[in-house]
Amino acid sequence: MLVKFCGATTVAEVTGLAAAGADLVGLWYQVPGGRSEVTAARLAALSEAASDTGRLAPVLVTFASDPAALLRAVRAARAPYVQLHGFQTPGTVRALRRDGPAGLKIIKALHLRGSECLEEGLTGAYERAGADCFLLDTATTDGRIGSTAEPLQDTAVRRLADRIQLPFLLAGGLHAGNRGDFAGARAHPRFLGIDVDSAARGEGGLLCADRAAAVTHAWRST
C-alpha cells in the first residue's frame, strides 16, 4: 500500500517523511492560495531532496491546466509524478501523456461531494487520455477542494471505485484513527493507498515525522 503525504515546503519535512516510511511526497505548485504553495525553484530543490532520500518519490501537485507550462515544471523538477488536483480536462491529461517524459505517472483527482462525483461523466475520458490512477478526495459544500480534513463516505468511495477502471488513492480527512471507517475502500481490488495532509501536521503547521509515522503504521497494520 502506498502512503503519500502532501504539502511539504521544507527539506526537513521531506527527510522526516522518508524516515516515517512514506512512499510519495506531494509538492504544491500553482495551487492559488494554497498554504503549502512553493516556487518553481523551491519545487526543484524539494524534488531533489525527496529523490536523494532513496525512498520518497516527489509528486508535483497542481491546479494548473496548461500542458506546456506543466511539462516545463515537471522536467525542471525531474518529478516522476504529476497530480492534477483541480478540474483539468481530459485534454490536459492527453497532452501530458503524449509529450511528457517517459515513465511520467499521471494522477487525476476526482472530487466527491457527499455521494456525488463532480467528474462523474469524465472518468472514462480520463482513463482513455492516459491517466495512471485516480485520487478520490472531498469537495466541500462551500466549494473547497484539497486539504479539507473532511472524510469521504466509505460507501460512496466503493460505489465510485466500482465504476472506474484505474487504481485509486484515497484522500480526505484520513488519520491514524479512522482506518476502520474505510473497510470497503481498503478491500477494493483497485485500492492503491492513501494521501494525507492535515493529520500529519504538527506545531506550526509543518508536516511532522512522528505524526506521519503514526498514520503510516496505523494504515499499514494488518
Side-chain angles (χ1 to χ4, degrees):
M1 184 191 80
L2 292 177
V3 175
K4 174 177 176 284
F5 292 98
C6 209
T9 58
T10 68
V11 172
E13 288 173 285
V14 169
T15 56
L17 293 177
D23 303 293
L24 305 171
V25 57
L27 307 173
W28 293 15
Y29 179 68
Q30 292 192 12
V31 179
R35 66 183 177 187
S36 301
E37 168 81 0
V38 297
T39 64
R42 192 67 177 160
L43 170 67
L46 293 172
S47 182
E48 181 178 13
S51 298
D52 285 347
T53 67
R55 176 179 181 89
L56 276 181
V59 182
L60 191 162
V61 179
T62 186
F63 284 7
S65 58
D66 177 59
L70 282 174
L71 286 170
R72 286 194 295 271
V74 165
R75 290 192 176 101
R78 298 182 181 178
Y81 288 81
V82 60
Q83 178 177 315
L84 303 176
H85 206 85
F87 294 100
Q88 294 95 338
T89 67
T92 299
V93 174
R94 188 176 300 107
L96 292 175
R97 173 58 63 224
R98 182 189 63 229
D99 300 328
L104 178 66
K105 300 294 186 183
I106 303 171
I107 304 170
K108 179 64 190 78
L110 302 178
H111 305 91
L112 289 97
R113 183 179 294 137
S115 61
E116 176 193 10
C117 174
L118 303 187
E119 295 93 349
E120 179 70 40
L122 292 173
T123 58
Y126 287 129
E127 291 166 356
R128 292 189 295 274
D132 291 286
C133 68
F134 290 120
L135 184 146
L136 311 188
D137 201 2
T138 303
T140 65
T141 55
D142 61 1
R144 289 177 294 128
I145 57 172
S147 300
T148 65
E150 294 193 16
L152 297 172
Q153 303 167 6
D154 189 45
T155 53
V157 170
R158 282 184 289 137
R159 283 196 297 267
L160 179 56
D162 284 341
R163 296 195 296 272
I164 61 179
Q165 303 301 313
L166 297 178
F168 68 92
L169 293 164
L170 178 66
L174 303 180
H175 55 76
N178 66 354
R179 175 181 180 271
D181 295 340
F182 295 95
R186 289 188 292 108
H188 199 280
R190 283 188 287 278
F191 175 66
L192 187 60
I194 60 172
D195 185 13
V196 178
D197 184 339
S198 302
R201 295 193 179 273
E203 192 172 336
L206 296 178
L207 292 168
C208 168
D210 288 344
R211 293 193 178 194
V215 173
T216 301
H217 175 76
W219 277 80
R220 283 194 172 138
S221 63
T222 57

